[in-house]
């Protein structure tokens, strides 16, 4: 390519950037107008709802449907995700609590869902995220709920039994783990590997093969593991990209998770009900009386009405010895007439039924 050609292409890029800049500014002004309309149409004593997950899901889907490339759908949606995040921040800067410290996968999930224009607050434990949301100190919380290799995150499920929360979104993240070391680590003298217990479990086979005799130390989070190795010459950490760059660590080995499709699902929790989008999921908690056939009785209405169950998890109820509650996720919104009828049928047989929320299926 000649210098002349390169110059001409850059002139074109500059002119396109100017147009994009103008269009983004136009869009941002529109969002400001939306905020004004939302404020003007409030009834007496009503609180404005600026964040609209159902609309955001529709915007991202529309972008993906219309995208002709060469950028991929995910890439394009990510760019629009950030534009929308900045537009919303003009209306109302969202405060989001997540399972910290900084650099965790939960932080990455929060950014993937809300974009980077939110005010984010790391919390030391899952229960603290719930409490922060319940206290109204933040608008939303982000917590992990299940991993494709290791299963349910029980702390999260149990927290739903203790707090009244509405689930208003979900996001899935591919989890890649790396073996990380600090500048002063002597890589041939590693005697200790730190990580969160779930991550150590997700890399068990790799560790057995490569570091069979090295002590595995479970710590509160992967980011905490990364922080520790920075100052220790004989240890390594298992953590992801965010923690690696946050603490300036080097990847001794990349993508060491045992299963290449290792993913974690995260939930957005708050107090806001989300209207139907036509492509939703619902989460409920049900407790049945402790008698034979109770689970069968619970599942029949779903089967009879062709409702797609995406997950079922059992946890001790905490209100009696050997009594259990079921956490169930299924496709549909609790306001859909068919789902309404099924939930009514179940509540006739159940000891208790609580809808945790209906929310758009993860778009990104
Ligand atoms: O449509 C709205 O209600 C808006 O506030 C605009 C907008 C956007 O930028 O598209 C911004 C924030 C909402 O969460 C959804 C969409």
């Amino acid at each position: 390519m000649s210098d002349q050609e390169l110059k001409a292409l850059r002139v074109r890029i500059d002119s396109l950037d100017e147009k994009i800049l103008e269009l983004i500014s136009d869009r941002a002004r529109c969002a400001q107008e939306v905020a004004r309309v939302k404020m003007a149409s409030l009834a007496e004593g009503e609180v404005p709802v600026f964040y609209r997950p159902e609309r955001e899901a529709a915007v991202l889907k529309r972008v993906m449907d219309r995208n002709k490339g060469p950028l991929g759908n995910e890439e394009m949606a990510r760019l629009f995700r950030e534009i929308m995040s900045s537009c919303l921040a003009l209306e109302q800067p969202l405060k989001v609590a997540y399972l910290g410290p900084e650099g965790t996968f939960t932080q990455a999930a929060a950014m993937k869902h809300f974009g980077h224009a939110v005010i984010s607050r790391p919390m030391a434990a899952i229960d603290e995220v719930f409490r922060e949301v319940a206290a109204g100190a933040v608008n939303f919380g982000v917590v992990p709920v299940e991993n494709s290799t290791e299963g349910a995150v029980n702390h999260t499920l149990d927290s739903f039994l203790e707090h009244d929360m509405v689930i208003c979104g979900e996001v899935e993240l591919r989890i890649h783990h790396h073996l990380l070391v600090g500048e002063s680590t002597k890589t041939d003298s590693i005697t200790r590997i730190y990580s969160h217990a779930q991550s150590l479990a997700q890399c068990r086979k790799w560790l057995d093969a490569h570091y069979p005799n090295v002590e595995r130390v479970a710590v509160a989070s992967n980011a905490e593991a990364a922080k520790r190795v920075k100052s220790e010459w004989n240890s390594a950490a298992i953590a992801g990209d965010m923690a690696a760059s946050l603490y300036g660590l080097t990847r001794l080995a990349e993508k060491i998770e045992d299963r290449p499709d290792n993913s974690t699902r995260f939930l957005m929790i708050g107090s806001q009900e989300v209207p139907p989008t036509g492509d939703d999921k619902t989460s409920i908690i049900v407790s049945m009386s402790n008698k034979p056939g109770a689970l069968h009785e619970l599942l029949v209405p779903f089967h009879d009405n062709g409702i797609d169950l995406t997950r079922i998890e059992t946890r001790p109820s905490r209100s009696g010895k050997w009594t259990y509650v079921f956490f169930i996720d299924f496709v549909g919104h609790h306001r859909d007439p068919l789902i309404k009828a099924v939930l009514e049928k179940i509540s006739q047989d159940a000891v208790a039924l609580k809808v945790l929320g209906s929310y758009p299926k993860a778009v990104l």
Side-chain angles (χ1 to χ4, degrees), residues 61-287:
K61 272 197 186 145
R62 197 162 177 272
V63 163
M64 288 165 119
D65 284 348
R66 281 157 197 250
N67 179 36
K68 294 198 184 88
L71 287 181
N73 276 356
E74 287 237 343
E75 199 50 49
M76 193 57 106
R78 248 202 307 274
L79 292 172
F80 275 81
R81 158 72 289 151
E82 290 304 331
I83 292 173
M84 228 176 350
S85 180
S86 300
C87 287
L88 175 63
L90 279 179
E91 296 186 43
Q92 175 205 34
L94 277 192
K95 288 188 215 129
V96 177
Y98 64 91
L99 176 63
E102 261 190 283
T104 56
F105 286 112
T106 313
Q107 185 186 17
M111 296 304 119
K112 186 174 176 187
H113 187 82
F114 289 107
H116 284 73
V118 294
I119 301 162
S120 59
R121 291 206 191 138
M123 297 290 134
I126 285 172
D127 189 54
E128 280 185 35
V129 177
F130 276 78
R131 271 190 272 141
E132 199 75 350
V133 179
V138 292
N139 304 94
F140 296 98
V142 185
V143 286
V145 68
E146 59 176 322
N147 174 265
S148 59
T149 315
E150 279 304 294
V153 180
N154 291 332
H155 279 133
T156 295
L157 297 185
D158 292 344
S159 297
F160 278 114
L161 299 176
E162 281 166 30
H163 298 270
D164 259 333
M165 269 312 137
V166 179
I167 301 175
C168 55
E170 63 165 3
V171 70
E172 205 178 297
L173 211 62
R174 274 292 268 277
I175 304 289
H176 294 304
H177 291 303
H178 315 304
L179 188 71
L180 305 173
V181 291
E183 262 173 22
S184 53
T185 308
K186 294 198 168 29
T187 52
D188 51 0
S189 329
I190 292 172
T191 59
R192 205 178 296 147
I193 296 178
Y194 294 112
S195 197
H196 187 272
Q198 279 241 354
S199 310
L200 289 170
Q202 288 164 26
C203 304
R204 191 181 295 126
K205 283 190 197 144
W206 188 90
L207 287 168
D208 287 347
H210 295 87
Y211 291 90
N213 301 317
V214 169
E215 186 190 6
R216 297 169 202 180
V217 183
V219 292
S221 67
N222 298 346
E224 167 67 28
K227 197 171 167 186
R228 284 197 190 196
V229 303
K230 218 175 152 47
S231 52
E232 293 182 17
W233 62 269
N234 60 339
S235 59
I238 293 176
D241 290 322
M242 263 186 119
S245 54
L246 187 66
Y247 294 103
L249 302 178
T250 306
R251 293 164 176 73
L252 203 57
E254 293 196 324
K255 298 187 181 172
I256 62 170
E257 59 277 3
D258 295 335
R259 293 180 57 101
D261 57 354
N262 187 34
S263 311
T264 297
R265 185 169 161 252
F266 299 83
L267 294 176
M268 316 300 136
I269 53 171
S271 54
Q272 188 178 324
E273 284 242 4
V274 186
T277 66
D279 195 12
D280 303 297
K281 266 163 99 173
T282 296
S283 301
I284 59 171
I285 307 181
V286 193
S287 71

Side-chain angles (χ1 to χ4, degrees), residues 27 31 34-35 38 49-53 55-56 59 83-85 87-88 91:
R27 194 189 191 286
V34 168
K38 283 178 185 168
V49 181
F50 295 109
Y51 174 60
R52 301 286 170 92
R55 171 66 185 157
E56 297 210 345
V59 169
I83 292 173
M84 228 176 350
S85 180
C87 287
L88 175 63
E91 296 186 43

